[in-house]
Structure formats: C-alpha cells, structure tokens
C-alpha cells in the first residue's frame, strides 16, 4: 500500500467528501466501492498531460462513456511531493478485457454516429498540443483539412531531418507528397472537422468487463477527416473486421470512393513516419517510402 500524495488526497476528497481511500498505484480504491485511476507524471510532461486530459474531455463530450471520464487534473504545487510541478489526472477506472466481435461492432457504430459526427466550430486541428506516442503534435487551427494534414506531415518530416542525413531521401519524397499528393487527394474533398481519437490502434481499445461496451483511451485528439482515424488500426491489426464493416454502414466512405484506398495510404503514411521518428531503424522508413512511391505514381 502506498501513500497518496497530499494534493491528490485533496482532489479525491472533493470527488467523494465522506470516503476513505487506499492507494495501490495507479489505482485508488474508495470506501464507497468506487475505483479511480491516478496518473502522475514528471515535471517535463505537463504539456503531454494537458493534451491527454483535453482529448479525453472532448471524447466524452462527443460520445459519453466511451472513454474514461476525467474527474480532476492539474499540476501539483511542489510543496507536498518530492519533485515540483508534477502533472496528474484522476479518472474513473474501467475494468477491461480485449476487444470482441460484439464490442468491435458497437465501437464501429459509436465512432460513426457519435465521435466522428462531433464537429469543431473552429476548423481543423486542436486547441492544445497533443502527443502521439512521444511525438508532440503542435496542432492549432486550420481553415482546410488539406492545410491541417500537410502541416502534420511537415512537422514529422522536420523531426526526421533533425535526426540526420539517413532520412534525407525519405524527407525529400515526403515534401513531394506535400506538394503533389496532398493537394490532389484532399483539396477537393467535402469533409467536416470531426473529433478524432488520433491513435486508435488495438492497444488503446478494450471492452469494459461489466458492461461489454467498447472503451478507447490514451488519445491524441484533433479535428480532421474521419477516415484518418482508421489508419493506424489498419497498420497494426488486432481489431475485428466487424469494426470496419459496421463503421462504414453508418458512415459511408467519402466521395470520391474510388480514391479511398489512396487516402488510406496517405493517412497510414503519417503513422509510418511517426514510428520512424520514434523508433528509427529501416523498417518503418521503408514502409513509408513504399507508400509515398505508390501515392506519387498515382498522382503524377
């Protein structure tokens, strides 16, 4: 059993004024029977925690209950813990198992009818930076999806250039994609800026044990073209086919449908570039180059 940091005790007592709490990191159990998830970070992670909290809040506004609800968040004052200014948040705890065919079907429907129908009033992007893995997405607001996605790819290419000359060819092709492919595929689309999870792979999806409902977590949200939110799920698999089938029953593929697979490649490219940035090696870079070669060939 661990001691609860005093700033977190204050927050828990606001949530349940008459309860007692026990702490077995990262879980807090209340005498009421409730369980909370406590995430306490490092001083350098303040911005990352803000991004996750704002993403979770937006997701729960769009699709209540599909993600853990944030109960409290902030930064400690440094007077009661060993390190100053530590970011934290407290959320409800969801007991989870893996995604099933049934919960995948429900997830497809809820994303198509709730999350990916929830529109921004400010345009494409997000109001705070978010983090896809350790990669900081600076976000901000854009009038068009073309401009937003081009900026997202551009930021990844900038990070790869900073890693050295080994990525020169990759970055050169990436700029060609920004100049040729992105305008060709995205400029003419009629799409709304809808809320995205941003990192929707099988490791960030589960099934709530007691309700059999789907749960999504660890988001890196922004407002964009709904199809982009399906990209990383296709790369890593682990999500039943029923998810994709149901999703497109409720939210059909964007016109022109005959360019759908090219858009799939373009949206998967973001994650291959990000993984090359995060993990290095030749595998993700090679996959990114293959995607770009196909896209450029079909766009010239």
């Amino acid at each position: 059993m661990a001691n609860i940091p005093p700033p977190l005790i204050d927050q828990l007592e606001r949530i349940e004024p008459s309860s007692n709490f026990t702490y077995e990191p990262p879980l807090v159990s209340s005498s009421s029977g409730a369980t909370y998830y406590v995430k306490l970070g490092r001083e350098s992670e303040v911005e990352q925690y803000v991004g996750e909290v704002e993403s979770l809040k937006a997701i729960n506004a769009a699709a209540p209950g599909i993600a853990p609800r944030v109960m409290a968040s902030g930064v400690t004052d440094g007077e009661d813990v060993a390190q100053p200014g530590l970011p934290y948040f407290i959320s409800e705890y969801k007991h989870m198992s893996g995604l099933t065919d049934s919960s995948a079907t429900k997830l497809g429907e809820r994303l198509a009818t709730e999350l990916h129908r929830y529109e921004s009033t400010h345009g494409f992007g997000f109001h705070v930076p978010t983090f896809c893995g350790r990669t900081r997405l600076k976000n901000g607001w854009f009038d068009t999806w073309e401009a937003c996605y081009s900026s997202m790819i551009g930021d990844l290419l900038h990070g790869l250039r900073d890693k050295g000359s080994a990525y020169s060819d990759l970055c050169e092709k990436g700029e060609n994609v920004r100049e040729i492919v992105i305008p060709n595929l995205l400029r003419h689309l009629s799409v709304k800026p809808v809320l995205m999870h941003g990192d929707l792979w099988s490791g960030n999806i589960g099934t709530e044990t007691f309700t059999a409902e789907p749960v999504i977590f660890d988001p890196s949200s922004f407002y964009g073209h709904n199809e982009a939110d399906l990209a990383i799920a296709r790369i890593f698999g682990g999500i039943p086919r029923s998810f994709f089938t149901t999703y497109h029953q409720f939210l059909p593929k964007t016109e022109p449908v005959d360019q759908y697979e090219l858009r799939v490649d373009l949206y998967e490219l973001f994650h291959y570039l990000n993984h090359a940035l995060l993990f290095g090696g030749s595998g993700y870079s090679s996959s990114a180059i293959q995607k770009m070669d196909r896209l450029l060939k079909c766009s010239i």
Side-chain angles (χ1 to χ4, degrees):
M1 204 75 66
N3 293 325
I4 305 175
L8 302 188
I9 292 177
D10 293 343
Q11 296 293 342
L12 289 163
E13 289 177 344
R14 289 190 183 96
I15 297 168
E16 289 194 31
S18 302
S19 294
N20 298 315
F21 304 95
T22 56
Y23 186 35
E24 295 185 22
L27 301 183
V28 168
S29 299
S30 163
S31 56
S32 72
T35 303
Y36 301 98
Y37 177 78
V38 175
K39 192 168 181 177
L40 184 64
R42 297 187 290 269
E43 186 178 358
S44 61
E45 296 176 325
V46 171
E47 194 174 41
Q48 189 168 344
Y49 272 60
V50 170
E52 184 171 355
V53 166
E54 291 302 305
S55 296
L56 287 169
K57 287 180 177 178
I59 289 170
N60 268 300
I66 202 170
R69 182 164 57 96
V70 175
M71 316 295 290
S73 64
V75 179
T76 64
D77 58 18
E79 296 177 0
D80 301 302
V81 292
Q83 293 177 283
L86 302 182
Y88 68 88
F89 71 78
I90 301 170
S91 72
E92 61 180 333
Y93 175 66
K94 291 182 178 286
H95 297 262
M96 285 186 291
S97 58
L99 202 62
T100 65
D101 279 335
S102 176
S103 59
T105 298
K106 292 178 183 178
L107 178 62
E109 180 178 352
R110 293 205 69 186
L111 258 62
T113 61
E114 296 176 72
L115 194 71
H116 291 168
R117 302 280 187 178
Y118 191 80
E119 294 183 23
S120 164
T121 58
H122 300 287
F124 297 88
F126 206 61
H127 61 288
V128 297
T130 51
F131 287 73
C132 192
R134 298 187 306 276
T135 300
R136 181 182 184 270
L137 309 180
K138 65 183 182 184
N139 293 320
W141 295 112
F142 299 84
D143 292 333
T144 68
W145 173 232
E146 176 193 348
C148 179
Y149 193 67
S150 181
S151 177
M152 292 170 67
I153 293 293
D155 288 343
L156 294 178
L157 296 175
H158 179 78
L160 287 163
R161 280 191 206 93
D162 287 346
K163 291 175 73 74
S165 59
Y167 295 95
S168 296
D169 291 343
L170 179 68
C171 291
E172 183 178 350
K173 284 195 176 185
E175 291 299 340
N176 290 337
V177 167
R178 294 182 71 201
E179 293 172 10
I180 300 169
V181 178
I182 289 178
N184 283 353
L185 289 181
L186 304 187
R187 182 169 295 172
H188 62 282
L189 294 182
S190 177
V191 296
K192 302 291 186 181
V194 296
L195 186 62
M196 323 283 273
H197 176 281
D199 195 12
L200 194 70
W201 69 292
S202 59
N204 290 340
I205 305 172
T207 302
E208 190 170 7
T209 304
F210 304 123
T211 65
E213 292 293 322
V215 181
I216 58 178
F217 50 95
D218 286 350
S220 176
S221 289
F222 62 94
Y223 291 88
H225 181 199
N226 64 288
E227 289 177 359
D229 218 11
L230 310 182
I232 195 169
R234 297 180 187 279
I235 293 172
F236 292 115
I239 297 177
R241 195 79 213 143
S242 57
F243 165 76
F244 297 99
T245 303
T246 303
Y247 179 88
H248 283 305
Q249 286 175 351
F250 286 93
L251 192 52
K253 297 172 183 178
T254 302
E255 294 288 348
V257 174
D258 62 359
Q259 292 183 346
Y260 178 81
E261 293 301 329
L262 288 173
R263 294 195 299 269
V264 167
D265 283 340
L266 180 59
Y267 295 149
E268 287 181 357
L269 176 62
F270 173 87
H271 295 286
Y272 281 119
L273 290 174
N274 187 41
H275 278 69
L277 180 60
L278 288 171
F279 305 115
S282 61
Y284 292 120
S285 296
S286 296
S287 295
I289 287 173
Q290 289 173 11
K291 292 287 183 188
M292 291 190 289
D293 284 343
R294 180 183 179 213
L295 287 163
L296 288 164
K297 181 180 179 180
C298 293
S299 297
I300 295 174

